[in-house]
Amino acid sequence: MERLVVISNRVAVPKARGVAGAQGGLSGALNAALKDHGGIWFGWSGQESEDPEGNIHLQRSDGVTTATIDLSARDIEEYYNGYANSTLWPLFHYRLDLTRYERETGKGYERVNERFADCVSPLIEPDDLIWVHDYHLLPLGERLRARGIANRIGFFLHIPWPPTRLFVSLPFHERLVRTMLEYDLIGFQTDEWRESFLHYCRKELGAEVEEATGTIRFEGRTAIARAYPIGIDWDHFQAQGASEEARHAEQRLLSSTRDRSAMIGVDRLDYSKGLPERIDGIGRFFDQHPDRVRDLVFIQIAPPSREDVESYQDIRMTLEQKAGQINGARSEVDLVPIRYVNRGYSHAELYGFFRAAKIGLVTPLRDGMNLVAKEYVAAQDRDDPGVLILSRFAGAAQQLAVDDTGAVLVNPYSPDDISHAIRVALDMPLAERRARYETMIGTIRDDNVQTWTRRFCDDLAATAGG
Ligand code: ADQ
């Protein structure tokens, strides 16, 4: 088996021996793949250092080698907070209104990609499979090729790929996509994003595109674009669910909500997750059904993220205001309709909260996949499952809503739609809840993060390479 070199913005260092396997999710799956194949995980340490040139920190733990570099304050500002999170993230989530185009941050992005390539190249051996992750590192493949790396290189985009009409608003869009065509395999979360990418390659670059196979031929090179919907770490999540911590969390939520149904939202505090719009939908439900205020309590768990980026600073305030207004208008001495918790919880605790909640409300305005939707369903009691209300604009909707069953789909921009879905979910008979659960659970269990890792690595190994 070929060695694997994973390259991503951040590296999740595996836990020390003894608690191996304690780590779940994407990092757990990548660590497991690295352990199987042998190899290296390379990325930013998350640390700032004023003279970071040349220093690679190598660490070997539980069979996996990690190699990390520090970045300077300027690199972090221009590459991470700037181009990655103030230009690419909003644009790729269809938010032209929040997208900033600054020449300096673009240069910083290119500089850090060059530095990644400089530092990782000497660690690469001739037959290694190289797997680059996400929007921080779109041009890295081309930077590696420029250093003579002829290995098979794959890339996976965790977020959506925007429609051509939006994407062309990015200065140097053509240059960026040309660099991506140096990858042998390009993975997207869904067919929709894959098709947007193929459309761009055909229309704007004039590449020869074979829709069915995703083959793109351009200037003598061939790249393949495919969809690989990411999944959860099913076994790890179920093991967390069997813990005392999960049971305790479930009991805690149940006893605090008593005879009311709990509805839950769990998200990073990010404008792509549609949180203010969600609160508007709940407000609309209470306006339309004042007699049902006593039936429902909404719990939103949203720890802050990317707090150095301006557009992220406003969202917390907006959310607190909106939740405060509804609570001000609707609270009684023994009842507060919305609980907003500004912190993260462990996966065991989340499992318990999900299981106690009759409704999971997942309404991103745009999302590559959304794993919270899958985790909510995975935590349900098969005999008495809750209802997943899911945005039609989340990648997960393509797997979880099938022919009017599975998740209850909503338009996250429409308060009326959200309000209607909440009423439908609250009143849904057991037989329908079970049928919807059965539609979703197979793909959530089987198309898990281990299957995803295996499919991508197998396909990459089967490409011609170079
Ligand atoms: P994210 O935007 O971070 O990821 P998501 O997939 O929903 O979105 O969540 C990732 C993980 O973070 C989940 O395991 C979830 O449990 C955890 N998480 C979220 N909120 C939490 C909270 N309040 N407390 C504790 N844990 C929390 C990006 C893309 C997604 C894509 C993933 C994986 O934006 O579309 O699904 O990568 O590819």
Side-chain angles (χ1 to χ4, degrees):
M1 202 191 283
E2 300 88 346
R3 259 181 23 139
L4 183 62
V5 176
V6 172
I7 309 174
S8 56
N9 173 53
R10 292 293 302 275
V11 173
V13 180
K15 300 257 166 58
R17 204 173 283 280
V19 282
Q23 197 179 24
L26 175 60
S27 50
L30 288 176
N31 272 308
L34 282 164
K35 230 186 287 179
D36 286 353
H37 286 254
I40 297 172
W41 191 345
F42 179 88
W44 173 33
S45 61
Q47 300 297 314
E48 178 186 318
S49 123
E50 267 333 297
D51 183 25
E53 293 303 315
N55 288 329
I56 304 180
H57 320 290
L58 284 171
Q59 192 185 332
R60 200 169 161 76
S61 168
D62 198 30
V64 177
T65 301
T66 56
T68 54
I69 54 171
D70 299 343
L71 294 179
S72 69
R74 181 168 164 224
D75 285 343
I76 297 170
E77 201 40 41
E78 294 181 356
Y79 150 81
Y80 183 72
N81 292 329
Y83 200 76
N85 285 321
S86 304
T87 303
L88 296 177
W89 177 274
L91 175 64
F92 281 38
H93 287 87
Y94 298 39
R95 292 298 296 269
L96 275 180
D97 56 322
L98 298 176
T99 304
R100 300 182 58 144
Y101 304 101
E102 306 282 351
R103 194 178 292 254
E104 282 310 310
T105 65
K107 282 192 201 149
Y109 181 79
E110 302 212 341
R111 189 176 62 241
V112 171
N113 270 271
E114 293 284 353
R115 186 142 174 262
F116 264 53
D118 279 338
C119 293
V120 75
S121 292
L123 306 175
I124 295 170
E125 294 174 9
D127 288 329
D128 290 351
L129 290 179
I130 304 172
W131 189 3
V132 179
H133 286 258
D134 230 0
Y135 60 102
H136 315 85
L137 303 173
L138 293 166
L140 185 67
E142 191 261 348
R143 303 298 190 267
L144 293 172
R145 297 277 183 236
R147 285 158 180 79
I149 304 289
N151 300 49
R152 280 160 293 190
I153 314 181
F155 175 83
F156 184 79
L157 184 66
H158 289 262
I159 65 177
W161 183 270
T164 301
R165 284 287 138 241
L166 293 184
F167 184 65
V168 294
S169 71
L170 186 72
F172 310 113
H173 54 86
E174 191 177 318
R175 195 165 88 195
L176 192 63
V177 176
R178 278 168 173 267
T179 66
M180 289 176 69
L181 295 179
E182 294 288 338
Y183 291 114
D184 298 298
L185 181 63
I186 306 171
F188 296 93
Q189 299 274 23
T190 69
D191 270 328
E192 186 181 347
W193 321 131
R194 184 189 80 114
E195 279 158 21
S196 293
F197 183 75
L198 293 180
H199 179 267
Y200 177 89
C201 290
R202 201 177 46 238
K203 289 276 188 204
E204 298 290 326
L205 294 186
E208 185 191 328
V209 170
E210 230 175 73
E211 287 282 338
T213 56
T215 308
I216 306 161
R217 293 193 183 82
F218 184 66
E219 295 183 346
R221 277 200 48 81
T222 303
I224 297 175
R226 287 209 184 118
Y228 299 90
I230 198 169
I232 64 168
D233 188 339
W234 171 270
D235 289 338
H236 182 263
F237 195 57
Q238 295 304 335
Q240 295 295 300
S243 68
E244 191 47 47
E245 197 185 353
R247 253 193 306 276
H248 180 69
E250 182 184 356
Q251 281 315 316
R252 216 174 125 196
L253 197 74
L254 283 174
S255 65
S256 79
T257 51
R258 290 191 302 270
D259 46 359
R260 285 182 287 155
S261 295
M263 177 165 78
I264 193 163
V266 174
D267 311 77
R268 273 187 309 105
L269 200 46
D270 189 301
Y271 49 80
S272 68
K273 303 293 182 187
L275 295 165
E277 293 79 0
R278 186 179 304 174
I279 303 286
D280 288 344
I282 294 165
R284 184 68 54 90
F285 174 78
F286 289 142
D287 292 345
Q288 290 173 339
H289 307 280
D291 53 317
R292 305 204 67 170
V293 175
R294 286 206 157 265
D295 291 349
L296 188 70
V297 54
F298 177 58
I299 296 134
Q300 176 65 55
I301 297 174
S305 73
R306 304 178 193 165
E307 290 173 285
D308 294 337
V309 181
E310 203 183 306
S311 45
Y312 285 75
Q313 289 155 10
D314 308 333
I315 179 169
R316 179 168 174 178
M317 222 157 53
T318 312
L319 205 58
E320 277 167 10
Q321 266 169 5
K322 282 185 184 282
Q325 271 163 6
I326 293 175
N327 281 341
R330 300 281 175 197
S331 290
E332 305 276 347
V333 285
D334 60 343
L335 174 156
V336 179
I338 298 182
R339 294 182 198 166
Y340 169 43
V341 189
N342 211 230
R343 54 162 281 200
Y345 285 92
S346 69
H347 264 135
E349 290 171 299
L350 288 183
Y351 187 106
F353 296 151
F354 286 145
R355 200 171 171 94
K358 295 285 165 228
I359 304 174
L361 190 56
V362 184
T363 56
L365 304 179
R366 202 58 66 172
D367 216 329
M369 175 54 61
N370 195 296
L371 293 177
V372 170
K374 295 185 175 184
E375 288 166 359
Y376 173 77
V377 178
Q380 296 309 300
D381 174 359
R382 183 170 217 148
D383 296 327
D384 185 16
V387 180
L388 173 66
I389 298 177
L390 179 62
S391 163
R392 59 177 65 254
F393 303 131
Q398 297 195 17
Q399 285 175 297
L400 301 184
V402 190
D403 300 333
D404 277 343
T405 176
V408 174
L409 287 191
V410 290
N411 173 354
Y413 291 96
S414 161
D416 284 327
D417 221 21
I418 293 175
S419 164
H420 177 73
I422 294 172
R423 195 188 55 73
V424 166
L426 272 178
D427 296 339
M428 191 178 287
L430 177 62
E432 184 178 345
R433 282 189 279 124
R434 277 188 180 158
R436 285 179 179 271
Y437 169 87
E438 292 301 334
T439 305
M440 297 184 277
I441 200 66
T443 179
I444 292 172
R445 184 189 55 228
D446 300 337
D447 300 328
N448 54 47
V449 72
Q450 284 80 14
T451 321
W452 173 83
T453 308
R454 210 175 313 122
R455 278 189 59 215
F456 190 93
C457 290
D458 288 353
D459 284 1
L460 179 59
T463 59

